[in-house]
Amino acid sequence: MAEKKVSLPAKLINGGVAGLVGVTCVFPIDLAKTRLQNQQGAHVYSGMLDCLAKTIKMEGYFGMYRGAAVNLTLVTPEKAIKLAANDVFRQKLSKDGKLALWGEILAGCGAGTCQVVVTTPMEMLKIQLQDAGRLAAQRTVAAPASTAGPTPSLVASRAAQPGTNARPQPSATRITLELLKTRGLGGLYKGAGATLMRDVPFSMIYFPLFANLNAVGRTNDCHSSPQERAPFLQSFVAGCTAGSVAAVAVTPMDVIKTRLQTLQKGEGEDSYRGILDCVRRVIKREGPSAFLKGAACRALVIAPLFGIAQGVYFLGIGEHVLGLLG
């Protein structure tokens, strides 16, 4: 039972299309997740719905899509690399069309490692843009108590000037140029270690779980690969389920990654020297439960994101596009 040879260009197209559709649908929830995870002292938001409501009130509807341009630009190569790498690794590790559990986990590990090249700078830029609104809201709340704002940074040094109506918003281009100027290429890859520690376990959980859920009811079909026969609905449900389980499981590392990559801190908020320092400070100041901040948001983001991704992936949109072109 040999699996059909993977067409890498088709899989790249599938991953890119799925990423664009998925991010467009769930980005506001991702923004809420970032803002909730970054809250340390004064809590501007009490939860996801409160965050979205206040964001719309203070920044307008499109305020929920701050940083979306970065994601929409880079999610195509990120998701394409992740899905295509997993497929390639699965093919290399398969014997007679069968893949053992250790092979599924190893393939997921390889896919998670490959995607970090794109994921780290994408998240680095996205987080600055997403969190800018929270910092502005925090300064508004704290304004009567103090006239001295947080230390100027790459993100917010020119974001708000007293007495002006027009507030220049931080942009991905400006942040990128200033990071390259002040910190070099390494500035864009701050938090790469934490990103690896989040994405590799995520992929090690997600891909084997998805593959097994996607094969339910088809394991006795000896004439074709379970993946080739899985209908859209099953791929979608399998992707949602596996995505939500993996997302919640690695939420502590996502919190650490978000804290490390956030350049601008609000008044009274901690800065961190590394992963261990972040863990120590968070436990001391906020308790272990802080590592689950945004877990529900992550599940609500990742579940449909990967459900859509796997649905598109197995529908074979990339194959159809290549067929039209060639």
Side-chain angles (χ1 to χ4, degrees):
M1 182 179 74
E3 284 192 21
K4 184 174 69 175
K5 192 73 174 177
V6 174
S7 168
L8 186 57
K11 298 308 180 185
L12 293 175
I13 294 173
N14 284 332
V17 170
L20 291 173
V21 174
V23 166
T24 302
C25 294
V26 302
F27 193 84
I29 304 175
D30 186 67
L31 178 135
K33 180 215 66 140
T34 298
R35 293 186 177 185
L36 290 173
Q37 286 182 337
N38 267 331
Q39 290 191 137
Q40 295 183 37
H43 283 199
V44 180
Y45 314 110
S46 61
M48 180 184 71
L49 295 179
D50 181 57
C51 177
L52 294 176
K54 288 180 177 176
T55 298
I56 293 174
K57 182 178 180 181
M58 296 183 66
E59 305 169 53
Y61 175 80
F62 290 105
M64 295 191 299
Y65 283 88
R66 275 195 179 190
V70 174
N71 247 36
L72 290 172
T73 301
L74 296 179
V75 75
T76 299
E78 188 228 12
K79 289 291 179 279
I81 290 171
K82 187 187 189 85
L83 295 173
N86 181 68
D87 247 14
V88 170
F89 284 125
R90 287 179 66 88
Q91 283 186 352
K92 297 296 183 183
L93 295 170
S94 294
K95 291 184 178 180
D96 299 323
K98 296 181 180 179
L99 186 63
L101 179 60
W102 68 266
E104 294 181 349
I105 294 174
L106 195 57
C109 178
T113 302
C114 289
Q115 80 169 82
V116 168
V117 175
V118 176
T119 302
T120 303
M122 178 183 76
E123 297 257 325
M124 183 72 183
L125 297 175
K126 182 196 73 170
I127 286 171
Q128 316 316 316
L129 298 171
Q130 285 182 327
D131 204 44
R134 180 188 71 89
L135 294 171
Q138 190 185 68
R139 285 193 296 271
T140 301
V141 171
S146 174
T147 56
T151 303
S153 78
L154 296 174
V155 178
S157 58
R158 295 181 297 273
Q161 298 294 335
T164 60
N165 294 324
R167 292 184 177 185
Q169 300 294 340
S171 70
T173 302
R174 182 197 303 167
I175 296 170
T176 300
L177 292 175
E178 292 196 34
L179 277 172
L180 291 173
K181 181 180 179 180
T182 59
R183 308 187 187 191
L185 186 61
L188 288 173
Y189 281 87
K190 183 181 180 182
T195 305
L196 268 173
M197 293 177 68
R198 180 197 67 171
D199 288 350
V200 171
F202 178 94
S203 295
M204 292 171 68
I205 296 169
Y206 173 80
F207 283 112
L209 181 57
F210 168 78
N212 285 279
L213 290 175
N214 204 41
V216 169
R218 289 166 171 75
T219 55
N220 295 325
D221 185 353
C222 60
H223 299 294
S224 62
S225 165
Q227 288 183 342
E228 292 172 19
R229 292 293 304 274
F232 177 86
L233 182 60
Q234 184 168 351
S235 289
F236 181 83
V237 172
C240 287
T241 304
S244 60
V245 171
V248 173
V250 301
T251 295
M253 286 313 305
D254 188 60
V255 172
I256 294 170
K257 182 199 72 67
T258 300
R259 295 283 182 94
L260 289 176
Q261 288 188 319
T262 302
L263 298 174
Q264 170 70 8
K265 302 294 184 180
E267 187 173 357
E269 295 181 348
D270 286 336
S271 296
Y272 312 103
R273 295 189 299 272
I275 294 174
L276 294 179
D277 182 56
C278 180
V279 172
R280 181 180 62 82
R281 287 173 178 265
V282 169
I283 291 176
K284 181 178 180 180
R285 180 172 180 176
E286 303 168 65
S289 62
F291 290 113
L292 291 178
K293 282 185 176 182
C297 291
R298 258 185 76 73
L300 289 173
V301 168
I302 299 297
L305 188 64
F306 277 85
I308 292 169
Q310 292 297 349
V312 171
Y313 196 59
F314 288 112
L315 279 174
I317 291 177
E319 287 85 342
H320 293 300
V321 171
L322 291 177
L324 293 174
L325 295 176

